[in-house]
């Protein structure tokens, strides 16, 4: 299988491994980038891995993915719980979307229990730390394989 999966990361995820290790672990975003690249390669895919602290930049990347990627894996971080703009961009892009969170958002504060992103997602993986990105790429490979054979 060939194709690019856009792996998007929202605000503050650049701090991973440096602060709040009790919640988010000691793995850095660069470590997750490497894990994602290896997992995508295993499926004959390429991970285009990006992080931004800006909502508009994430929206622009999602819009551009329509012509350049086969699917989107997204950890929108705090924008998960606030951003109708990111939801609208995901709905408009027409690509399969998988939502990922490092922490189990349902075990945390009430305001993290609602996700705008979920309305656009084929599925949600949360609570498995960095491994969640690998699971999301496995699921994306499966979705793309099924779409190809149908
Ligand atoms: O669990 C996740 O992956 C989250 O998307 C992470 C977001 C949070 O707002 C979501 O509710 C759940 C926060 C990302 C902030 O990452 C940090 C990493 C290290 C130190 C401080 C923040």
């Amino acid at each position: 299988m060939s194709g690019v999966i856009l792996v998007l990361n929202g605000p503050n995820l650049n701090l991973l491994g440096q602060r709040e290790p009790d919640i988010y672990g000691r793995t850095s975003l660069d470590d997750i980038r490497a894990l994602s690249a290896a997992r995508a390669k295993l499926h004959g895919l390429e991970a285009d891995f990006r992080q931004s602290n800006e909502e508009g930049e994430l929206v622009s990347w999602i819009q551009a993915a329509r012509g350049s990627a086969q699917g989107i894996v997204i950890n929108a971080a705090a924008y998960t719980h606030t951003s109708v703009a990111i939801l609208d961009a995901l709905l408009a892009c027409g690509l399969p979307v998988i939502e990922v969170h490092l922490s189990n958002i349902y075990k945390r504060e009430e305001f993290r229990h609602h996700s705008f992103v979920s309305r656009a997602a084929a599925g949600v993986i949360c609570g498995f730390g960095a491994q969640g990105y690998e699971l999301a790429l496995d699921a994306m490979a499966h979705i793309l394989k099924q779409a190809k054979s149908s």
Side-chain angles (χ1 to χ4, degrees), residues 9-21 23-25 27 74-81 99-105 108-109 111-114 125-127 129 133:
N9 295 278
N12 297 309
L13 286 166
N14 54 312
L15 299 177
L16 274 181
Q18 300 168 37
R19 321 245 174 94
E20 301 192 61
I23 301 176
Y24 298 114
T27 309
I74 182 166
N75 182 351
Y79 289 141
T80 303
H81 317 297
E99 177 180 358
V100 177
H101 298 287
L102 295 156
S103 61
N104 181 351
I105 55 175
R108 300 184 64 192
E109 305 93 323
F111 66 85
R112 296 186 202 273
H113 297 182
H114 177 262
I125 295 163
C126 76
Y133 286 73

